Amino acid sequence: MHVLSRFADLNPYQTQDLESKRLTVGLEGSFGDWDIDAAIMHSRQDNVAAFRNRLRKSLLDGNLNPSSANFGKYRFNGTGNNAAAIASVASDATINGEAAITSADVRASRDLFAMAGGNAAVALGLEYRRETLNSVPDDVYKSGDYVGLVGNGASGKRKLWAAFSEFRLPVLKDVEVQAAARHEKYSDFGDSTTGKLGAKWQVLPSTLALRGTVA
């Protein structure tokens, strides 16, 4: 049997319900000549995406099968269908998602020695981060029963360790050089080392400065 219908009374739409939480604790202080800054952070997002009033193949088949309890409940001319009739051909597809990040870092900085433009300085740091992600369609969604919807889920996690350093070198009164390096180790990717070299020339005090960076 072939049925042609626009299903105009279903009124499909989509909703998103997102809840975010974030907690950060920090500590600042000094140890000898070093200024210390440390922090711990945890953030989490929970998301429910719902595709409302979406057609389902199994329910449509039931409306056309005389031996089914749903037979004939929905009027395909689009008139006279109450909530129960619409529920006999459509329902809500949902995806429950969550993402979380936990990180901890510590930074230390101090002056090193005098230069023509001021004191040279160094900053060192360590960072740890853990990321998780889950996106889970409901069982009916995953089964492929919804017409025109594909329920693909995702799940994963990874960890990151990083160490970094930065130097500030005021070589002249109006010229400053910055050099930085960062090494990262990912649990799912491998190692990565990046660097940066920059310079700043204060051409006119408080008016014009030129900057350049190679990274």
Side-chain angles (χ1 to χ4, degrees):
M1 179 183 295
H2 296 280
V3 176
L4 181 63
S5 175
R6 294 178 57 197
F7 300 97
D9 54 353
L10 294 189
N11 186 31
Y13 63 98
Q14 182 178 350
T15 62
Q16 293 273 354
D17 185 9
L18 177 64
E19 180 178 313
S20 297
K21 300 176 182 177
R22 181 184 177 92
L23 174 65
T24 302
V25 178
L27 180 66
E28 295 181 355
S30 298
F31 183 77
D33 294 331
W34 292 90
D35 294 325
I36 309 295
D37 182 2
I40 298 175
M41 185 276 294
H42 178 75
S43 68
R44 179 186 173 97
Q45 289 188 330
D46 293 283
N47 180 56
V48 179
F51 300 87
R52 309 289 185 180
N53 300 332
R54 299 304 297 253
L55 285 171
R56 289 176 54 186
K57 181 182 182 301
S58 61
L59 298 182
L60 285 171
D61 290 345
N63 261 271
L64 301 175
N65 184 356
S67 63
S68 171
N70 277 344
F71 178 65
K73 284 187 176 181
Y74 183 82
R75 295 178 180 270
F76 289 93
N77 59 9
T79 61
N81 288 307
N82 56 21
I86 291 176
S88 72
V89 295
S91 64
D92 299 339
T94 61
I95 299 178
N96 291 282
E98 62 179 42
I101 299 176
T102 301
S103 67
D105 65 81
V106 58
R107 305 164 190 264
S109 61
R110 60 165 293 176
D111 289 340
L112 292 176
F113 48 82
M115 299 186 70
N119 289 330
V122 63
L124 305 174
L126 294 172
E127 179 184 356
Y128 167 78
R129 188 167 72 244
R130 183 176 186 270
E131 304 171 351
T132 60
L133 171 69
N134 290 289
S135 179
V136 184
D138 65 60
D139 291 339
V140 176
Y141 200 168
K142 287 189 290 186
S143 72
D145 196 39
Y146 287 97
V147 178
L149 292 179
V150 178
N152 291 323
S155 179
K157 60 183 179 180
R158 69 176 181 179
K159 297 178 182 179
L160 162 70
W161 290 93
F164 50 90
S165 62
E166 183 174 353
F167 293 89
R168 180 176 63 86
L169 305 172
V171 293
L172 296 173
K173 181 179 179 181
D174 299 322
V175 178
E176 180 179 289
V177 175
Q178 304 98 28
R182 181 181 178 91
H183 178 75
E184 299 173 312
K185 182 177 180 62
Y186 292 84
S187 62
D188 61 343
F189 164 70
D191 295 354
S192 173
T193 301
T194 55
K196 181 184 77 171
L197 181 64
K200 174 185 175 183
W201 175 27
Q202 191 72 44
V203 183
L204 298 174
S206 304
T207 303
L208 176 63
L210 299 179
R211 298 175 182 269
T213 301
V214 177

